[in-house]
Amino acid sequence: LAKTTQPISMDSYEGQEVNITCSHNNIATNDYITWYQQFPSQGPRFIIQGYKTKVTNEVASLFIPADRKSSTLSLPRVSLSDTAVYYCLVGASGRAAGNKLTFGGGTRVLVKP
Amino acid sequence: EAQVTQNPRYLITVTGKKLTVTCSQNMNHEYMSWYRQDPGLGLRQIYYSMNVEVTDKGDVPEGYKVSRKEKRNFPLILESPSPNQTSLYFCASRQASNQPQHFGDGTRLSIL
């Protein structure tokens, strides 16, 4: 299974862009990269998922280089409510791959006023 | 409303007293998982299931059992709980292996 490594914490200010990089050197060919957000005492919530290049939705962008050994979650113009822990998850696709998933340690993002 | 429901949300119990944490999803998802979350260790997968009667071990299965007799339910069983199983537990489900997971609100277990 691909192990993931993320920074433990990051501080930012309201209105700034936050970029969190996740390393996954042993990512397999059929692995997807998924990012989740978690607030205290709540379950993780899906933010974005990608396989390669760039993916963008209404809340974030995900950049994946050609070698796929890392990925960067980009949160544009953060607000105080974006203060949370962000997890990078690498997991396999396809029924044969099963459902075994490995979360990174998470990055605690603190947005200051 | 699409949701994953866990019960109980909080439980304090004693070593050795069997307990079950229930998990139910109303989205007809095939895949379900159990995780535990501990300070400094993030989320670790305990068991997962790809469909009814199909389960397999995750990264930390010792001391836990699961069953998947019907699609919507995936209970987590601690036959003889010990203090090192004190943790925050999350159940999750998803429709396919390349789809995002939906998580429950968590169950905080304290084993004395």
Side-chain angles (χ1 to χ4, degrees), chain A residues 22-74:
Chain A
C22 178
S23 297
H24 28 80
N25 290 319
N26 296 322
I27 190 168
T29 302
N30 58 350
D31 281 345
Y32 276 74
I33 301 155
T34 312
W35 284 81
Y36 291 85
Q37 176 191 55
Q38 186 180 26
F39 298 112
S41 300
Q42 293 185 25
R45 186 179 69 172
F46 170 78
I47 301 175
I48 198 167
Q49 178 177 276
Y51 183 78
K52 62 180 179 180
T53 64
K54 177 183 174 182
V55 180
T56 297
N57 62 20
E58 63 275 9
V59 298
S61 294
L62 179 59
F63 300 90
I64 305 169
D67 66 6
R68 302 200 330 122
K69 293 182 184 298
S70 66
S71 58
T72 299
L73 173 72
S74 180

Side-chain angles (χ1 to χ4, degrees), chain B residues 32-105:
Chain B
M32 297 186 76
S33 292
W34 274 104
Y35 296 88
R36 62 177 288 173
Q37 186 170 37
D38 303 287
L41 296 176
L43 282 147
R44 294 179 293 170
Q45 194 179 41
I46 303 170
Y47 267 95
Y48 62 92
S49 170
M50 291 183 282
N51 213 325
V52 175
E53 303 293 359
V54 181
T55 64
D56 207 347
K57 297 176 181 178
D59 291 321
V60 288
E62 294 77 21
Y64 304 95
K65 287 174 58 177
V66 293
S67 70
R68 189 92 182 272
K69 292 183 169 56
E70 46 192 346
K71 203 170 189 178
R72 63 182 292 126
N73 296 323
F74 189 44
L76 179 70
I77 303 155
L78 285 70
E79 293 271 3
S80 182
S82 62
N84 64 10
Q85 293 177 299
T86 292
S87 187
L88 178 58
Y89 291 85
F90 290 101
C91 179
S93 75
R94 57 183 181 169
Q95 177 53 36
S97 61
N98 63 347
Q99 295 298 307
Q101 297 184 88
H102 297 253
F103 283 83
D105 288 331

